[in-house]
Amino acid sequence: RFYTSIGMDLVLLDMILIQLHALFFFFFKQKTAYEMLRSLVGSEMCIRDRYCFVCVDTIHDFDPAHQEVATRVEASGDKRAVMFKAVQQATERTISTSDSHTGEFFWAKIKGHPWWPCEEVAPTFAMPAPPGQKLVIFFETHEFAFIPDENIKPFVLDDPDMLGKVGKNKQLQAAVQLATHAVKMKAIASKSLIRA
């Protein structure tokens, strides 16, 4: 019985060690996986931010303004509604994640919000701008909206009238800085092209 008891205790201890090992291994693997994922955030974002059409033997980059979008939607037959919704979602995300659009910068006003710097978005298949409106994306927030022409003003550097309306809104101040930088970079690029 003494040996049997020791044997049972050893079996029990062995089972506890196995469970502890499994528990340790689980948390260790979880932590390792988290660290790996955290280190790959940039790469993951690059992958997720790239939208494309996947065909049987090829992959085509998604361009929301390209005529190919219309061709593919029309060719989708009874799946047209599903394809159009997918194209619309990809268009919205492409607009939100793109670093540059038309290079036309404005101040835009939405009811209940201050004047905000923005950039005009090129016409798209899934989100065409209504007559008398522009599709714009706002600096800093990455939100976009259709704005009537009467609620849009050109973004001019060192405009005392518009800059005086910025106030102490930190997010708006950041948006103005981004827009100012974009305008300056556009001017530099234009000068480089003229010299070339």
Side-chain angles (χ1 to χ4, degrees):
R1 292 180 63 182
F2 177 75
Y3 287 108
T4 304
S5 176
I6 291 177
M8 290 179 66
D9 288 344
L10 287 174
V11 169
L12 181 60
L13 179 61
D14 190 48
M15 291 176 63
I16 292 172
L17 288 173
I18 290 172
Q19 290 176 357
L20 286 173
H21 175 73
L23 188 64
F24 172 77
F25 179 74
F26 172 75
F27 282 111
F28 176 76
K29 294 297 287 183
Q30 288 291 94
K31 184 173 184 295
T32 303
Y34 168 73
E35 289 175 348
M36 289 174 63
L37 285 175
R38 184 175 59 179
S39 68
L40 291 173
V41 167
S43 300
E44 289 290 313
M45 287 301 292
C46 288
I47 293 169
R48 290 174 185 167
D49 288 348
R50 183 187 174 194
Y51 299 94
C52 54
F53 285 107
V54 180
C55 305
V56 177
D57 54 351
T58 57
I59 294 178
H60 299 281
D61 285 334
F62 178 80
D63 180 353
H66 200 279
Q67 183 59 32
E68 182 182 14
V69 176
T71 303
R72 291 184 183 278
V73 170
E74 293 300 331
S76 56
D78 58 346
K79 305 288 187 188
R80 188 182 188 283
V82 176
M83 173 66 92
F84 183 80
K85 184 164 184 169
V87 166
Q88 192 171 34
Q89 291 176 345
T91 298
E92 291 177 358
R93 293 174 185 175
T94 301
I95 291 171
S96 298
T97 57
S98 178
D99 291 330
S100 61
H101 295 281
T102 59
E104 299 298 324
F105 306 106
F106 300 95
W107 290 95
K109 182 75 171 71
I110 294 179
K111 186 177 180 180
H113 297 274
W115 285 90
W116 205 278
C118 59
E119 183 178 3
E120 184 178 6
V121 177
T124 65
F125 170 77
M127 299 172 60
Q133 296 188 20
K134 288 182 174 64
L135 176 59
V136 302
I137 181 165
F138 295 96
F139 283 97
E140 181 64 17
T141 65
H142 299 287
E143 296 173 340
F144 52 87
F146 292 101
I147 307 294
D149 290 340
E150 59 267 24
N151 289 350
I152 291 179
K153 296 180 179 180
F155 186 92
V156 180
L157 293 177
D158 302 321
D159 183 345
D161 181 44
M162 297 306 296
L163 293 178
K165 298 177 181 179
V166 173
K168 297 181 179 180
N169 186 323
K170 297 293 185 183
Q171 193 173 32
L172 180 51
Q173 290 175 0
V176 171
Q177 289 180 348
L178 289 171
T180 300
H181 177 73
V183 171
K184 289 180 178 179
M185 292 302 295
K186 178 185 176 182
I188 292 172
S190 298
K191 288 179 181 178
S192 299
L193 287 174
I194 292 173
R195 290 174 184 171

